[in-house]
Amino acid sequence: MKYRRFGKTELELSVFSLGTMRSLSSAEVFTATVKAALGRGINHIETARGYGESETLLGQVLQELGHEARSHLTITTKISPTPDAATMTAHLEESLARLQVDTIDCLAVHGLNTPQHLAWVQDPSGCMAALKEAQAAGKIRHIGFSTHGSQDLITTAIKTNLFAFVNLHYYTFFPRHQSVVKLAHKHDMGVFIISPADKGGLLYTPPDKLRHLCTPFEPLHLTYRWLLSQPEITTLSMGPAVPKELMLPLQVCDRAGPLTAEEQAAFGRLEAALQVSLAADRCHQCYACLPCPETINIPEVLRLRNLAIAYDMTDYGQYRYRMFENAGHWFPGRKGNRCTDCGDCLPRCPSKLDIPNLLRDAHQRLNGPERRRLWE
């Protein structure tokens, strides 16, 4: 296992972190998964107030491990932003009690996704006041944030200088936030990449076409290597449901250097397939089409279409596409079938794409058949 400095926190974290959202089938499975991760050199465990019984189960494991083992671990938990300090204080005390600790190493404001959330953080009487007070009292060591927000929002949050680390979506198949990663590094913030296997492409079960293009590498390993080759990134989240799911990701836990020539060639094949498959219909993810009057998340809809056509990543595309209109600020925007052919986006697209027709095509590919409701 390799370790990297987590920005200004000065913590040395393993390049893979254990996320605990999925290993909740039983206390026994949870405990076994945590212990297996520690046995493989992972020293950073991430949970959240909103992850069911995760904080409680982790607290029980920490008690079982004892003080000596706990002293070598970094524990991160996450609490959603609140408009007032009192609510955040109450939530923090609950997390401390569940975890059975006096101090949380890293506390992330969970889902800093909207301008309103950022306003709550910046309000002198808002949730950050409670976190700063807790930090001064020794209940929190470091404060950061996780986000599913826009690039502009993330950039603004970093520039507040209120945070020591950021949990970020940034993947081989979603490289848009590269400038955000570099900005966070410039501010000496730790960078923690959220769910590169799942939200980064359902890479535990890649389609045959994607696997062929990545040969001789597993697509999962290749995306991990792409991330770990960037020294600005500290650690990658992995969320095994059972201990055996640690094995495949950790095969590259000791490979954090620059990409090899063979790895670069694989990425060249992926880029060529993207261009050949999509030709003049390729969305280059410039985001110039936004804002959309119908609040369609045009770039994300067309990104999912790109991946489905170029790499047969239709299962992943459907998984993400069906979150539109169902996940609120965690995955904002409406589906492609909401297009009214207003034409507002067309003159702003440098690639001169026929965006309305591409949106309809994406909807047909990714929305899947309508499902009857039980009451129907």
Side-chain angles (χ1 to χ4, degrees):
M1 180 68 68
K2 299 294 184 182
Y3 300 84
R4 285 180 172 173
R5 175 179 174 272
F6 197 41
K8 66 186 74 173
T9 71
E10 298 296 346
L11 296 165
E12 291 287 325
L13 299 189
S14 48
V15 295
F16 282 93
S17 295
L18 179 68
T20 57
M21 186 170 66
R22 295 181 63 239
S23 54
L24 299 173
S25 59
S26 70
E28 292 75 19
V29 169
F30 188 96
T31 300
T33 303
V34 170
K35 289 183 176 180
L38 301 187
R40 293 295 304 273
I42 289 176
N43 70 353
H44 179 220
I45 303 177
E46 179 226 21
T47 182
R49 171 183 168 82
Y51 288 178
E53 295 296 309
S54 176
E55 285 184 331
T56 299
L57 292 172
L58 181 55
Q60 294 170 1
V61 175
L62 294 177
Q63 289 300 304
E64 182 179 336
L65 291 172
H67 176 74
E68 177 62 25
R70 166 70 181 96
S71 66
H72 297 290
L73 293 176
T74 294
I75 304 300
T76 292
T77 195
K78 307 188 293 296
I79 301 176
S80 296
T82 62
D84 62 281
T87 303
M88 177 59 78
T89 297
H91 290 174
L92 176 61
E93 292 298 331
E94 290 173 359
S95 288
L96 286 164
R98 291 177 186 139
L99 289 165
Q100 300 185 57
V101 298
D102 297 322
T103 303
I104 293 169
D105 301 307
C106 296
L107 190 288
V109 178
H110 189 197
L112 193 61
N113 297 339
T114 71
Q116 183 183 55
H117 293 154
L118 186 56
W120 292 348
V121 167
Q122 294 181 293
D123 185 334
S125 62
C127 54
M128 183 58 76
L131 296 180
K132 289 294 186 183
E133 182 178 342
Q135 189 177 40
K139 296 180 178 181
I140 300 170
R141 291 195 175 94
H142 309 288
I143 301 170
F145 72 99
S146 72
T147 181
H148 297 234
S150 70
Q151 191 172 88
D152 287 345
L153 180 78
I154 301 168
T155 298
T156 302
I158 290 172
K159 289 182 177 179
T160 65
N161 292 315
L162 292 170
F163 302 104
F165 64 92
V166 58
N167 300 1
L168 189 67
H169 292 275
Y170 172 62
Y171 313 123
T172 304
F173 300 118
F174 181 70
R176 174 168 171 77
H177 287 330
Q178 184 176 55
S179 63
V180 172
V181 170
K182 293 187 179 301
L183 180 65
H185 182 70
K186 181 180 178 180
H187 284 252
D188 199 23
M189 294 173 66
V191 177
F192 176 24
I193 302 301
I194 303 169
S195 188
D198 182 72
K199 294 181 178 64
L202 289 183
L203 298 177
Y204 280 106
T205 54
D208 289 342
K209 184 176 182 180
L210 179 62
R211 190 187 294 273
H212 175 74
L213 289 167
C214 293
T215 302
F217 308 102
E218 286 289 334
L220 180 66
H221 289 163
L222 202 58
T223 200
Y224 284 153
R225 284 286 298 125
W226 183 79
L227 290 165
L228 293 176
S229 71
Q230 300 173 54
E232 300 90 349
I233 293 170
T234 308
T235 186
L236 315 180
S237 171
M238 54 183 300
V242 293
K244 68 179 182 180
E245 290 184 2
L246 290 161
M247 303 308 294
L248 181 62
L250 293 184
Q251 289 176 12
V252 295
C253 70
D254 60 345
R255 296 171 52 203
L259 294 174
T260 66
E262 198 171 17
E263 288 167 338
Q264 291 174 2
F267 283 114
R269 290 193 296 274
L270 288 171
E271 172 61 24
L274 194 66
Q275 188 55 46
V276 169
S277 300
L278 291 154
D281 284 345
R282 177 181 177 181
C283 172
H284 289 271
Q285 298 287 285
C286 69
Y287 280 62
C289 53
L290 296 182
C292 168
E294 301 301 325
T295 65
I296 299 168
N297 191 336
I298 298 172
E300 182 63 7
V301 171
L302 297 188
R303 181 182 77 92
L304 298 175
R305 180 183 182 274
N306 282 355
L307 297 177
I309 292 173
Y311 309 132
D312 288 348
M313 293 173 67
T314 303
D315 287 348
Y316 170 69
Q318 291 180 345
Y319 156 53
R320 299 300 283 172
Y321 188 79
R322 288 171 180 166
M323 291 177 64
F324 287 128
E325 306 177 25
N326 289 302
H329 58 74
W330 296 98
F331 199 68
R334 302 172 79 201
K335 294 181 177 180
N337 66 326
R338 305 296 187 179
C339 179
T340 62
D341 291 284
C342 72
D344 186 73
C345 57
L346 295 177
R348 289 184 271 126
C349 177
S351 299
K352 305 302 180 186
L353 297 177
D354 184 356
I355 292 174
N357 279 330
L358 294 181
L359 291 175
R360 282 187 281 270
D361 180 75
H363 182 80
Q364 184 177 8
R365 292 174 184 273
L366 303 176
N367 195 58
E370 291 294 327
R371 291 176 171 81
R372 292 185 65 188
R373 305 297 190 264
L374 291 176
W375 57 86
E376 295 175 333

